[in-house]
Amino acid sequence: MINSDGSNTIINANGNTQPSSVIMPDYKKIDYRGFVFVIHNSHGMLLLHCTRKPKKGPHYQLPGGHVDDFEFEAAAKQYYDKEEGHENISSSSSSTVVTSNKILLDAARMGAARELFEETGIDVREQLHRLEPVRLYKDSDDTTSLVNMLQNKLYFFLNVTNDDFLLTGEDGLTYPQGENGKDLALRISHEHSGFIFENDPLESIEKLFKHSSGTGARALRMSMHPAARLGGQRAPASAPSPASSDAAVAADADIIRPPMDDDFGNTTGQNDTTMPVQPILLPSPRPKRHGVCHGIFSCCSFDCC
């Protein structure tokens, strides 16, 4: 049961309500969305082509969309057992408090997987672990939001292979516009008119400017900042301050903005005032055209940057 303050209650074995340690995000008032950077190692980033919005004109989009209420409820349910009437906190949790950030991250991952399937036919709904949060370089003052969130939009990276695409010969399939990846098929939703693979990250940014007020383009740019590029690996989680007794802060330590090492081995993060406020993209040297160089993605090697 979700209370007006975002807290949660459950029904115990005696039929009485009791407080739950699951803290819900305010999803009734905030329109959260989840999007996916789908990357094929050989062909690049998958972009959906949209021609059905006259006000914007033809433009490209990332797969993704709204996170639905049932996904927040499903994300919360995994942390407690309603039938038994007692908390069933995951053993992977470092605290008895399941914060709203953890619920938000899980729900957004579910929503992004669902939208990806609806819009392309790529199905990772039973392989949610493949959707990895994209590290975004943010203002150093931002120490509370999720590492992959920008303006209530959460971004995930999915590395795909040919096996993730649909078998040729099926009815209703769409093939890429152009020669790049021409043998790979998807089942494109009615919202879109086709798709492409873009193997130049700078071109991907330019193509996404008309989508979602340019937030996706900005997120991709932020993911390519040197401070966010850690070879596709998450930075070590920052430990909570010894002076802090806030269990929620400790529980969130692995998913909010931790300190990161930049390309020169310097630690950057919460207390660093030397990093630029606006994310920058170093355009030189130009990423190699034969491969993908999207900064933090595991298909990117620092040698190609």
Side-chain angles (χ1 to χ4, degrees), residues 104-300:
L104 174 56
L105 185 63
D106 289 348
R109 186 182 273 114
M110 294 177 190
R114 173 183 49 78
E115 289 280 355
L116 176 66
F117 175 69
E118 292 173 356
E119 294 179 348
T120 69
I122 295 176
D123 194 357
V124 295
R125 292 173 297 174
E126 300 299 324
Q127 305 173 64
L128 293 177
H129 62 279
R130 293 181 60 189
L131 292 176
E132 302 176 13
V134 173
R135 298 193 60 85
L136 304 179
Y137 172 74
K138 301 180 183 180
D139 187 322
S140 59
D141 291 336
D142 182 1
T143 60
T144 59
S145 68
L146 292 164
V147 295
N148 63 327
M149 185 165 70
L150 180 64
Q151 297 180 1
N152 299 325
K153 300 176 179 69
L154 289 86
Y155 294 88
F156 298 90
F157 157 66
L158 176 65
N159 191 23
V160 295
T161 67
N162 290 3
D163 292 338
D164 290 301
F165 291 80
L166 305 183
L167 297 175
T168 59
E170 295 183 15
D171 294 334
L173 298 185
T174 301
Y175 293 84
Q177 300 167 355
E179 293 296 307
N180 188 10
K182 63 181 182 179
D183 296 326
L184 300 179
L186 295 175
R187 184 168 287 105
I188 297 297
S189 70
H190 65 87
E191 303 173 30
H192 304 97
S193 55
F195 71 98
I196 64 169
F197 289 106
E198 178 54 66
N199 61 7
D200 187 326
L202 302 183
E203 292 293 335
S204 297
I205 291 173
E206 293 174 9
K207 286 180 167 65
L208 287 171
F209 267 122
K210 288 186 178 181
H211 178 219
S212 194
S213 302
T215 310
R218 185 182 171 203
L220 180 55
R221 182 184 179 100
M222 292 166 70
S223 77
M224 295 165 62
H225 188 283
R229 285 170 34 199
L230 294 171
Q233 302 299 317
R234 178 182 297 280
S238 58
S241 168
S244 173
S245 60
D246 189 345
V249 172
D252 268 356
D254 61 334
I255 56 175
I256 63 173
R257 169 74 162 85
M260 296 183 289
D261 291 337
D262 62 21
D263 282 348
F264 306 101
N266 302 313
T267 298
T268 64
Q270 298 176 359
N271 299 318
D272 180 22
T273 58
T274 63
M275 297 297 291
V277 172
Q278 294 299 322
I280 59 172
L281 173 64
L282 303 182
S284 180
R286 186 86 169 174
K288 294 181 179 180
R289 298 288 298 189
H290 67 267
V292 181
C293 181
H294 282 286
I296 65 165
F297 297 149
S298 61
C299 60
C300 171

